Amino acid sequence: MADELHRLTAHEARKLLSNREVSSVELTQAVLDRIAAVDDRLGAYLTVSDELALAQAADADTSLSNGGGGLLTGVPVSVKDNMCTKGIRTTCGSRMLETFVPPYDGHVISRLRDAGAVLIGKTNMDEFAMGSSVEHSAFKPTHNPWALDRVPGGSSGGSAAAIAADEAIIALGSDTGGSIRQPASLCGVVGLKPTYGRVSRYGLVAFGSSLDQIGPITKDVRDCALMLNVISGHDERDATSVEMDVPDFTEALTGDIKGLRVGVVDEYLPDDLDAGVRGVAEAALAELESLGASIERGVSLPNTKYALACYYIIAPSEASANLARYDGVKYGYSYQDGDSMWANMDGTRQHGFGDEVKRRIMLGTYTLSTGYYDAYYLKALKVRTLIRQEFDEAFERFDVLFGLVSPTPAFRLGEKTDDPFEMYLSDVFTLPTNIAGIPGMSLPAGFVEQDGQLLPVGIQLLAKPFDEASILRTAYAYEQATSWHTERPPG
Ligand code: GLN
């Protein structure tokens, strides 16, 4: 078994660790060996914190043998490189932060430490989380473990690829417009964006502050519930983190969805969809129905058609404000060859940011500028309210809304890099969720074959604010009845 330890889920690992059948040092070493064996071709990690991981593993073993231990004691976790880790480089996939070593831990990192987790490394991502393929990482692309010439999705593609290829036991990503769910779908793993406010953003490098949310990327639904238990809850350092009781999310894993009301959203299953992808969604619906859920088709959320435009005003507007802090003065990359302070600031931004980030800053600066603020930004906020209301009305009739995560399976590296709009379209089904602040999950539901390659497809489950439990309940029942979550890529 020792050479297969990296394949464990967190709940399986936790049990073996508690029974002292394996040690955290063994498990951590197995995951590090796995990274050493496959990451050259996958590129999921930007930093592997092996020394720290082994030291934390040894501590975990001590605490376990003393009968102690938290929810994740001794379990190796990987974290997207936009969450601040004290003493470990946090690059955000950008030259701007290439050498930035945070002096503090983000809230979720403190929570992971409190739960006893072992931090194995920081995963690759699109620069400042702007993108859907990790091709906007300033350092290297990440390859999809199912098909090496294809993207893993983004922006949390490093975490999703790491979980799919067993280069970590459990992981964290962040989702501003789909960045947990879309890569989870393309890599065949579970990804959950919690309700806005459920998880503190303290120490998450800000992109679109009213949209950003941290969440689990895991091998199965039980691990997703476990990780959500670890990271959820109020934190006074994030004013938008909500003060409300956090349920034990594993209690939602009953396997029973009899009478659950599922609404199938037309807009997330459009007519021109690839037949194979549609087939996956249809089969999943049939499965949910046979498990006793009541499925209603033909639910329409007509304002979905405005979501892309609305998102690409709000997110860049917030990004342009958030990214103004990278001026080369306080921290991060600093250009020094100019002949004035202003020239150095220009140089810092010119050389420190990649093209996509510059595009977003310019878009956002434009939409916030005098004369255009009302026409664009304010209008987008009004559309946001409409999108929210549409969801509120739908959730009066349904416990869960159903759709696809992404219109296509993993696309080829380089296929969309020349056309930003094509890239933006990868997220048409995931953006509305962030705009409304509601929770959403991508759940592995099958494969399509393209050019002889087997590519994963995820279904999307949405619920009303703070009702992650209904999503988990549905997903767990489905997962128990199917075996998609046990499939692994070759190699
Ligand atoms: N792909 C979307 C974007 O580029 C969403 C990214 C994200 O969720 N961080 O903005």
Side-chain angles (χ1 to χ4, degrees), residues 40-44 141-152 161 413:
D40 275 353
R41 61 174 189 269
L42 292 178
T142 296
H143 299 260
N144 190 311
W146 289 93
L148 295 178
D149 59 340
R150 293 182 186 254
V151 304
L413 283 148

Side-chain angles (χ1 to χ4, degrees), residues 131-425:
S132 311
S133 68
V134 191
E135 290 165 297
H136 297 315
S137 165
F139 305 112
K140 60 182 180 187
T142 296
H143 299 260
N144 190 311
W146 289 93
L148 295 178
D149 59 340
R150 293 182 186 254
V151 304
S155 62
S156 313
S159 286
I163 290 301
D166 293 305
E167 291 184 89
I169 301 297
I170 192 166
L172 286 179
S174 71
D175 191 313
T176 304
S179 277
I180 288 175
R181 292 160 288 154
Q182 185 257 13
S185 176
L186 272 44
C187 289
V189 298
V190 178
L192 176 76
K193 182 199 90 73
T195 310
Y196 184 79
R198 180 63 99 183
V199 179
S200 167
R201 293 175 294 109
Y202 176 77
L204 170 71
V205 180
F207 165 12
S209 305
S210 76
L211 303 156
D212 299 339
Q213 195 65 192
I214 295 170
I217 297 183
T218 63
K219 297 180 188 179
D220 69 7
V221 174
R222 181 169 293 281
D223 274 7
C224 182
L226 191 63
M227 182 57 108
L228 198 58
N229 278 350
V230 171
I231 60 175
S232 295
H234 180 62
D235 169 27
E236 61 188 15
R237 298 167 299 183
D238 172 3
T240 63
S241 111
V242 171
E243 243 183 305
M244 74 192 269
D245 289 342
V246 179
D248 174 357
F249 290 105
T250 61
E251 283 177 4
L253 312 182
T254 58
D256 179 10
I257 53 166
K258 285 190 197 64
L260 181 95
R261 299 164 305 163
V262 178
V264 183
V265 181
D266 279 346
E267 285 79 6
Y268 304 158
L269 286 166
D271 289 338
D272 53 356
L273 208 57
D274 170 273
V277 176
R278 172 181 299 281
V280 169
E282 291 298 339
L285 282 170
E287 187 66 57
L288 291 172
E289 192 154 32
S290 78
L291 289 166
S294 96
I295 311 283
E296 185 175 323
R297 290 171 181 269
V299 178
S300 180
L301 303 174
N303 286 318
T304 300
K305 61 177 172 295
Y306 303 120
L308 189 89
C310 177
Y311 174 86
Y312 277 98
I313 291 172
I314 294 175
S317 296
E318 295 182 6
S320 74
N322 279 325
L323 271 57
R325 75 191 64 173
Y326 304 105
D327 53 11
V329 177
K330 295 183 275 299
Y331 49 79
Y333 169 74
S334 182
Y335 182 80
Q336 294 292 340
D337 293 340
D339 52 15
S340 68
M341 183 195 81
W342 296 113
N344 283 338
M345 209 176 274
D346 278 356
T348 296
R349 289 173 174 155
Q350 187 182 335
H351 302 292
F353 288 137
D355 287 349
E356 184 60 32
V357 174
K358 287 178 191 163
R359 187 176 296 123
R360 305 286 178 109
I361 293 172
M362 285 189 280
L363 271 173
T365 306
Y366 179 80
T367 49
L368 289 178
S369 55
T370 315
Y372 296 104
Y373 182 95
D374 289 2
Y376 294 105
Y377 185 69
L378 210 58
K379 199 164 186 178
L381 291 185
K382 289 176 183 166
V383 174
R384 181 175 205 171
T385 303
L386 295 178
I387 290 174
R388 231 181 238 147
Q389 282 171 352
E390 208 165 74
F391 276 118
D392 287 347
E393 284 162 25
F395 287 121
E396 282 170 17
R397 295 167 52 214
F398 301 106
D399 303 303
V400 164
L401 293 176
F402 176 100
L404 282 164
V405 177
S406 169
T408 65
F411 45 93
R412 288 212 154 73
L413 283 148
E415 195 178 316
K416 301 191 180 186
T417 36
D418 292 339
D419 187 346
F421 189 64
E422 268 300 309
M423 191 72 89
Y424 298 171
L425 284 173

Side-chain angles (χ1 to χ4, degrees), residues 52-116:
L52 172 82
L54 287 168
Q56 287 183 335
D59 287 349
D61 283 328
T62 309
S63 127
L64 285 162
S65 47
N66 292 334
L71 289 177
L72 289 177
T73 299
V75 177
V77 180
S78 65
V79 173
K80 185 178 183 180
D81 209 19
N82 60 350
M83 298 173 216
C84 286
T85 41
K86 185 175 180 175
I88 301 172
R89 191 170 83 113
T90 299
T91 68
C92 238
S94 181
R95 295 262 168 243
M96 193 62 94
L97 293 175
E98 189 167 3
T99 57
F100 173 58
V101 178
Y104 71 107
D105 276 331
H107 179 74
V108 291
I109 305 299
S110 311
R111 284 291 184 91
L112 284 175
R113 286 189 205 266
D114 292 348

Side-chain angles (χ1 to χ4, degrees), residues 24-63:
S24 176
V25 169
E26 279 174 299
L27 175 62
T28 302
Q29 191 58 57
V31 172
L32 290 170
D33 291 348
R34 175 70 177 168
I35 295 172
V38 303
D39 208 52
D40 275 353
R41 61 174 189 269
L42 292 178
Y45 283 91
L46 290 174
T47 303
V48 178
S49 43
D50 41 2
E51 274 177 36
L52 172 82
L54 287 168
Q56 287 183 335
D59 287 349
D61 283 328
T62 309
S63 127

